[in-house]
Amino acid sequence: MKTVHTAKQVAIFSCYKTGGGTPFDSFWYSREAGEEQGVLMETYYTGDLWKGLRAIAGAERVIFDGYSSIAWLKGWALISFALLRRVPVAVYWHETDWYFKNWPLNRKPTQYKPLPTFLKYRSHLMPIHWLVHNKRTVHFHVCDYGKRMMHGKFGYPDERIHMLKNLTGAYQQVLDLPLGAKTVPYRVVGLSKVDQRKRPDLFMQVAKYVVERKPEAEFHFIGRFTNPPHDQNTVEQQVKDMGLEGKLHFVGEQRPPFPLLESAQVFLHTAEDDPSPKVVMEALGLGKYIASFAVGGIPEIYPDADGLVPFGEVEQLGEKVLAGFDKMEKEQQTARREYFATHYTPEAFAKRFREAIDWWDDLNK
């Protein structure tokens, strides 16, 4: 018999406009599945103050999607209004150490620098510190690591933090691609922005280690270049200096990335910190062997992954890549895809979200 759920209405705010699922990935793509679970979602843009205020005035619950939904545009005013009206408020965190350490919002008011330096961080960050740390705001986090970090390192009340794993908006594209049909032997692919947090320098070092031991190997890094030293010219010069021309290719942003990603034998991720990267989920759904540093929430994405090593251990990670070339049997690829299909689709997220809403409501009784 089909379970009948009591309807729960949620207003969701982001600093990005809706459309195309960015960055409402988990909420945007699971709206229909959410209705099956009795969760009715409406999304709003924090740049539209008056529409947001009207939405909050009639809302049963309000969620702010990520730190940027509070710190940018009119998010600080909207969360203030929601708390003043005593509407139940939650923040859905997608951030772990990197952002928390570098984000002024997590400093205590006594730690703020005096003007004018403080103006760089927006004058409303001091009240926001109270808004997110007060005892009535609840918190969802995409990974258990982040949940423990928020409580242990930054003092958020543990009893008001709930884990809510996200999903990838590309779930259908991933599931529509045949497993292993276009795999190129000894090809390794990475996918992320070229910046300090994603550590392209370590990607290069792993590539050098592997190529020295398996000359047939080739590496491709998909992702847009950023500011120096992560601009295209600097990165390409570094590749030359390491003697990896013709073996390591930084190909820039590709949309969609799947033609190259599905050709990989191994997916390599060298980020210094990452809460729950969708690219790792997508590689899992494509049946790829995942070699990565065990940082943030990455170990939680696929508990059976054996390609994870401590951060910075380049040689260990290189050995995992070499081992991954021999771990592409059909049954292994199928197991990875099946895990993806049961955990990172809208239906799976909608069930988790309903459980999170019920937990939230129980707190407010």
Side-chain angles (χ1 to χ4, degrees):
M1 180 180 293
K2 186 176 181 179
T3 303
V4 178
H5 296 281
T6 304
K8 309 276 189 174
Q9 295 181 334
V10 189
I12 299 165
F13 285 84
S14 171
C15 67
Y16 298 90
K17 293 184 179 180
T18 57
T22 303
F24 289 117
D25 284 346
S26 298
F27 299 120
W28 182 265
Y29 287 107
S30 64
R31 286 180 303 168
E32 290 186 11
E35 290 179 8
E36 291 290 317
Q37 297 293 323
V39 180
L40 308 179
M41 294 177 257
E42 292 291 337
T43 55
Y44 299 93
Y45 173 50
T46 56
D48 191 334
L49 179 62
W50 299 115
K51 185 176 181 180
L53 293 174
R54 289 195 298 271
I56 290 170
E60 293 180 5
R61 301 164 195 80
V62 177
I63 294 178
F64 288 85
D65 190 15
Y67 82 96
S68 54
S69 67
I70 307 168
W72 298 355
L73 302 172
K74 306 300 181 183
W76 64 277
L78 292 166
I79 192 173
S80 300
F81 181 65
L83 287 166
L84 286 171
R85 283 189 57 83
R86 303 190 72 81
V87 176
V89 172
V91 181
Y92 187 29
W93 298 97
H94 305 261
E95 296 80 31
T96 43
D97 292 276
W98 183 272
Y99 284 104
F100 271 73
K101 285 188 296 187
N102 292 287
W103 190 30
L105 187 150
N106 285 298
R107 301 175 189 164
K108 295 178 181 178
T110 55
Q111 294 175 310
Y112 285 107
K113 295 180 180 180
L115 297 173
T117 305
F118 174 66
L119 289 175
K120 295 179 182 178
Y121 303 119
R122 297 173 177 266
S123 59
H124 56 258
L125 283 178
M126 285 180 71
I128 288 179
H129 186 280
W130 174 80
L131 294 172
V132 296
H133 280 275
N134 82 87
K135 294 181 179 179
R136 288 197 293 115
T137 303
V138 302
H139 307 275
F140 301 131
H141 205 290
V142 294
C143 62
D144 187 62
Y145 173 86
K147 178 179 180 291
R148 289 183 279 110
M149 177 210 70
M150 288 181 70
H151 173 64
K153 291 186 179 180
F154 297 100
Y156 289 74
D158 186 54
E159 67 277 8
R160 300 190 72 80
I161 312 173
H162 188 86
M163 188 174 73
L164 177 60
K165 282 189 175 183
N166 56 346
L167 61 83
T168 169
Y171 63 93
Q172 197 59 60
Q173 291 171 275
V174 169
L175 293 174
D176 285 345
L177 293 171
L179 282 176
K182 297 184 178 180
T183 300
V184 175
Y186 307 117
R187 176 172 287 179
V188 182
V189 176
L191 171 59
S192 67
K193 186 165 59 174
V194 185
D195 68 7
Q196 182 60 28
R197 184 168 68 96
K198 300 298 186 176
R199 297 306 297 267
D201 58 321
L202 296 181
F203 191 94
M204 295 180 199
Q205 292 177 35
V206 173
K208 185 173 181 64
Y209 181 89
V210 172
V211 168
E212 287 175 348
R213 289 154 181 80
K214 179 68 73 172
E216 309 96 302
E218 58 175 272
F219 287 73
H220 299 261
F221 192 108
I222 306 169
R224 69 178 177 87
F225 297 97
T226 54
N227 297 323
H230 302 112
D231 60 293
Q232 185 172 358
N233 290 337
T234 303
V235 169
E236 289 179 350
Q237 185 60 52
Q238 290 171 341
V239 171
K240 291 179 182 178
D241 293 344
M242 295 183 75
L244 291 170
E245 276 190 288
K247 288 295 183 180
L248 171 56
H249 311 274
F250 280 80
V251 299
E253 188 171 28
Q254 296 192 0
R255 294 191 178 187
F258 298 111
L260 185 53
L261 186 57
E262 68 173 324
S263 72
Q265 244 194 323
V266 174
F267 179 79
L268 174 61
H269 197 65
T270 55
E272 180 176 338
D273 172 62
D274 232 333
S276 186
K278 295 178 177 66
V279 293
V280 175
M281 297 177 191
E282 291 159 8
L284 180 69
L286 291 171
K288 305 305 178 185
Y289 181 83
I290 296 166
S292 173
F293 293 125
V295 297
I298 291 175
E300 302 170 37
I301 292 177
Y302 184 47
D304 291 336
D306 66 356
L308 308 184
V309 305
F311 175 73
E313 297 294 339
V314 169
E315 292 186 5
Q316 288 186 38
L317 191 55
E319 289 296 329
K320 292 295 185 182
V321 171
L322 291 166
F325 292 145
D326 298 321
K327 295 188 177 182
M328 289 297 291
E329 288 83 359
K330 188 70 174 180
E331 57 269 23
Q332 293 173 313
Q333 295 183 58
T334 300
R336 294 165 191 150
R337 169 160 287 187
E338 287 177 351
Y339 192 90
F340 172 87
T342 55
H343 288 79
Y344 302 115
T345 58
E347 293 74 21
F349 177 80
K351 290 179 181 178
R352 293 193 291 269
F353 190 31
R354 175 66 198 219
E355 291 170 0
I357 295 292
D358 290 340
W359 165 84
W360 186 7
D361 286 351
D362 287 343
L363 281 180
N364 293 327
K365 287 181 179 178

